[in-house]
Amino acid sequence: MDQETANKLFDIGGFLLFLNAPPNLEFGIDYNAWTIGPLFKGVKLIPPGLHFIYFSITSKEGVQGIRTGFFHFFESKEVLVREWNPEIEDLRDSTEIDPLQIERLASNIRDFDRNMGPYPLDPPIYYQRWKILTSYVTSGLIRRILPNNGKVSHLPDKSVEGKEIEKEENMDFTPFDLRKSFPVGATGMDVTRWSLDKSWLTRDLLQRVYHDDYKVMLGELQLSFVCLLMAQNFSGFQQWKKLVQLLCSCNELVQEKPKLFLDFMDVLQSQLEECPDDFFRDILLENNFTSVMLKTLGQNIKENSETLVIRFEKLKKFIMSKFNWDIPQQNEEDEEEDDEDAPVVVEL
């Protein structure tokens, strides 16, 4: 970090005071992670805005445990105090820390300066990528979806009985059913129409949940992906897939809200750029999900808007270059489509 940046962040940067952390704990913030030593007391000069702090225990055998973390919006010069509880091998609840103690620690934060590492901004590319990846995530969205102080942890993809887990405790992603994408009391014709075109369901969610602000919906898309990327959280993965399928399956709405779909493609490309070659490549290729969804999106924007067509071709070229994926052509059969989420067609 150059001196000019350090001086600027010294005036506005936040502080995370991390007390009583055990040695050899894996500790990270955003894209940066370290194995900490006994003198570690936290991170300083944190740029204001959203950050994800995470940690995991490493056993004596060197086996890394489950990653747990929390999102937090840092205000300018904010001092956030968290304390390790060795009995549960997790952070103490913020309500368990004496407010007077927090106030004393905050007022004497300079005493910990030598034991706090600066937020890594060298090279700056990692912080820039983090900001792009979370550009639509708001503090209100964090409070609604992650009401337990922004906490999120790794969740296995199967329950004990082998059934998929639909909802994790203290994680409230927006619920919706892709197979019921039509209004109550719809005629057979409308059931077929809105099962093929998810525009009605998307409009309903925008009005009922997102207060007619599509950027909040994109914020949930980003948050679900980051929960997957940073915490390998299965609930986040499931919500991300549902939102991608929802937005790729709109036909009528593409004409009404082209800016929504331009921004959606920007978000989707920024997310796919972050996919490593192993775990994420495997899950994104499962049942050919991504290529089939992009084929559907391409059909819906085909010749609808020159700007949308250009943006889609850019996304398509990026995907073919990075992953060597082949997006099916419009006249190919959709054999890969998941039966569970296939459109409902009512014979009249």
Side-chain angles (χ1 to χ4, degrees), residues 7 32 37 65 83 88 93 184 200 218 272 275 289 299 303 328:
N7 291 339
N32 309 278
E83 185 176 12
I88 61 173
D93 190 280
V184 176
W200 181 89
L218 294 181
L272 295 177
C275 292
F289 170 78
Q299 291 173 345
E303 299 179 359

Side-chain angles (χ1 to χ4, degrees), residues 147-299:
N148 187 20
N149 294 315
K151 186 175 179 179
V152 60
S153 62
H154 168 78
L155 183 68
D157 62 352
K158 300 291 179 182
S159 69
V160 176
E161 295 79 14
K163 298 179 180 178
E164 292 186 356
I165 298 172
E166 295 182 357
K167 185 175 183 296
E168 183 180 1
E169 185 178 1
N170 294 318
M171 182 168 274
D172 296 324
F173 285 115
T174 301
F176 60 93
D177 188 347
L178 287 165
R179 288 184 58 85
K180 297 180 180 178
S181 55
F182 43 84
V184 176
T187 63
M189 184 179 296
D190 281 342
V191 167
T192 298
R193 175 188 180 188
W194 298 126
S195 294
L196 295 169
D197 177 3
K198 306 296 183 186
S199 295
W200 181 89
L201 178 57
T202 306
R203 283 195 206 97
D204 178 62
L205 290 171
L206 285 170
Q207 295 170 4
R208 182 168 48 84
V209 179
Y210 301 109
H211 309 291
D212 286 319
D213 186 353
Y214 75 81
K215 293 181 179 180
V216 183
M217 177 181 277
L218 294 181
E220 183 163 346
L221 178 68
Q222 288 184 328
L223 180 59
S224 62
F225 182 81
V226 172
C227 286
L228 168 66
L229 180 71
M230 305 303 294
Q232 293 84 56
N233 183 276
F234 185 66
S235 292
F237 175 48
Q238 291 292 81
Q239 187 69 2
W240 179 83
K241 283 184 64 177
K242 287 174 62 179
L243 285 168
V244 169
Q245 182 169 350
L246 176 72
L247 290 171
C248 285
S249 303
C250 293
N251 184 301
E252 190 173 279
L253 199 63
V254 169
Q255 304 174 43
E256 295 178 12
K257 297 182 180 293
K259 187 66 166 65
L260 160 59
F261 294 91
L262 285 170
D263 291 345
F264 165 59
M265 285 187 279
D266 287 343
V267 168
L268 188 60
Q269 181 164 333
S270 70
Q271 292 174 339
L272 295 177
E273 284 175 345
E274 299 302 323
C275 292
D277 290 337
D278 44 21
F279 176 69
F280 294 98
R281 179 187 289 255
D282 292 339
I283 62 177
L284 290 174
L285 281 173
E286 183 182 9
N287 296 324
N288 213 16
F289 170 78
T290 306
S291 61
V292 171
M293 287 303 100
L294 287 171
K295 173 195 171 184
T296 304
L297 177 62
Q299 291 173 345

Side-chain angles (χ1 to χ4, degrees), residues 16-19 70 80-84 91-92 94 97:
L16 170 67
L17 191 57
F18 199 86
L19 300 175
F70 63 93
L80 180 67
V81 179
R82 289 292 184 266
E83 185 176 12
W84 185 259
L91 297 180
R92 296 187 188 279
S94 57
I97 306 176

